[in-house]
Amino acid sequence: MRFLRIAVLGAALPAILATSALAQAVQYIIPEEMPSLPYSYGVAFPIEVQTKAVSVTAAGTKFGGTGITANVPAATDLKGQMVQVLANLDVALKELRSSKNDIAKIHLEFVGNTFDQVEMLSDHLENYFLVRNASKEVKFPPVRTLIGKNSLGDPTKLVDLQVTLIDPKTKPEVIQSQGIEVPEDFGTHGTSILLGGITAMNKSYMVKGLNSMRTQMQTSLKNLDLVLSKAGGTRDDVKFINVFYTPKPGSDAEEPQQAEQLLNDELKKFFGETNAPTVTLQADAVNCSAYLSILLDAQATTKGTAPKTAPAPKKTI
């Protein structure tokens, strides 16, 4: 299972960091019970805050039905393409009048199968998001899922980055800065929660169930529950969940078919059958860590808490 470089950020981080003082519109989440790595496990924001999807490769970017072609040919090596991908992302952000701080989540797939490659990609991402503001506070990085593949379809493509971008025009502080009054009930109609990079690893970087996919799945789902609770959601709010898994020789799931049965059993136990989310199971073609068999990526939406409109007073005759 793919996993990023283990790098402690220094001092202990709070479970939630907000990018907006006004209503704390966007919150990035790292529970204290989970590893303190250079990315978040969840991002939560009011459903009034909209997102945009941006697809980035070394050849260019695509967004909103259009795109930008890169000025130079794609590099032929993984590191070279990663550098180009981040440069192309900068171009897309400028075109969209946005910034790195509006990136809520990234999903990166690459052609490779070694931990050294994962470490290299992670270093580039960490440096990319290590931006400081006037008060020298590190901007918090987005949710991250990183997956290794044998191929990305196109033999010339080695890196594929999918970005979920917060539309800054829909953030309350931006609305207010334009002289428009933010509705009093902003943020009470529900919350969107994006989750990713969730594994069976605890805050001490220990993995429970080294030779048991079932144990790792159970622990990963508990960590998913933990991130959801910090974001103000529950498992009942999950709408979609992607399970990336790697069958391992000598474990309780050596074959994909055996693994899928096991994973479906655990998902059914966790979510139940009446309110189960849409599930996608994907067996990874390569394995960049000898310890991790499971990685979870999900999307949830909480119900609103807006007060009901008071009934109109009755007319007297």
Side-chain angles (χ1 to χ4, degrees):
M1 176 55 55
R2 257 51 48 214
F3 197 70
L4 303 183
R5 181 174 66 87
I6 296 176
V8 181
L9 296 182
L13 291 170
I16 297 177
L17 289 176
T19 61
S20 168
L22 178 60
Q24 294 187 333
V26 182
Q27 299 175 329
Y28 294 89
I29 303 155
I30 292 184
E32 296 178 356
E33 299 88 341
M34 295 174 66
S36 182
L37 294 168
Y39 56 86
S40 305
Y41 298 103
V43 58
F45 47 90
I47 60 174
E48 294 95 335
V49 174
Q50 302 298 308
T51 61
K52 296 181 178 180
V54 182
S55 177
V56 191
T57 68
T61 60
K62 293 181 180 179
F63 49 86
T66 183
I68 300 173
T69 302
N71 293 324
V72 296
T76 58
D77 64 295
L78 183 63
K79 182 176 181 179
Q81 286 206 10
M82 186 60 182
V83 171
Q84 289 177 309
V85 161
L86 295 178
N88 290 342
L89 177 57
D90 277 336
V91 173
L93 292 175
K94 184 177 180 180
E95 183 74 14
L96 292 167
R97 297 183 180 181
S98 190
S99 73
K100 299 176 185 178
N101 298 325
D102 294 319
I103 296 176
K105 182 179 178 181
I106 58 176
H107 180 102
L108 188 147
E109 296 186 356
F110 70 99
V111 177
N113 59 2
T114 70
F115 186 78
D116 286 342
Q117 291 170 323
V118 174
E119 186 175 35
M120 179 273 293
L121 296 171
S122 181
D123 283 342
H124 278 283
L125 288 170
E126 184 176 357
N127 291 332
Y128 183 78
F129 288 104
L130 195 61
V131 180
R132 295 179 181 271
N133 60 21
S135 62
K136 304 299 182 182
E137 294 177 347
V138 176
K139 296 290 186 181
F140 211 64
V143 177
R144 183 189 306 180
T145 294
L146 193 151
I147 303 293
K149 299 287 185 180
N150 279 336
S151 171
L152 296 177
D154 182 348
T156 66
K157 183 166 63 174
L158 303 178
V159 180
D160 189 316
L161 178 63
Q162 302 298 319
V163 176
T164 302
L165 183 70
I166 296 290
D167 185 347
K169 297 190 298 295
T170 64
K171 294 170 67 174
E173 64 269 35
V174 176
I175 295 173
Q176 191 178 58
S177 70
Q178 296 174 341
I180 302 173
E181 185 177 352
V182 178
E184 291 184 1
D185 62 350
F186 186 97
T188 65
H189 298 94
T191 302
S192 298
I193 306 173
L194 306 178
L195 308 101
I198 298 175
T199 69
M201 189 174 288
N202 64 21
K203 65 179 180 180
S204 299
Y205 310 104
M206 301 296 292
V207 178
K208 186 177 181 181
L210 293 179
N211 294 315
S212 173
M213 182 176 288
R214 186 179 299 278
T215 300
Q216 286 204 30
M217 183 59 172
Q218 292 171 345
T219 306
S220 298
L221 287 169
K222 287 180 181 178
N223 284 338
L224 177 75
D225 228 7
L226 183 61
V227 178
L228 281 168
S229 67
K230 298 293 184 181
T234 71
R235 65 184 68 178
D236 291 336
D237 298 318
V238 177
K239 307 304 179 186
F240 305 95
I241 183 167
N242 299 315
V243 182
F244 300 96
Y245 67 95
T246 302
K248 292 181 180 293
S251 71
D252 53 1
E254 297 186 355
E255 302 294 335
Q257 186 174 0
Q258 182 183 15
E260 288 191 9
Q261 181 62 53
L262 181 155
L263 295 173
N264 279 318
D265 288 346
E266 292 303 322
L267 287 165
K268 186 178 296 185
K269 291 177 185 177
F270 185 79
F271 289 109
E273 297 184 5
T274 58
N275 198 32
T278 300
V279 175
T280 300
L281 303 179
Q282 183 172 335
D284 294 332
V286 296
N287 183 23
C288 297
S289 171
Y291 308 108
L292 294 167
S293 299
I294 299 292
L295 188 147
L296 303 181
D297 185 287
Q299 180 178 338
T301 305
T302 69
K303 296 180 180 178
T305 59
K308 296 181 179 180
T309 304
K314 295 181 179 180
K315 294 182 179 180
T316 56
I317 299 176

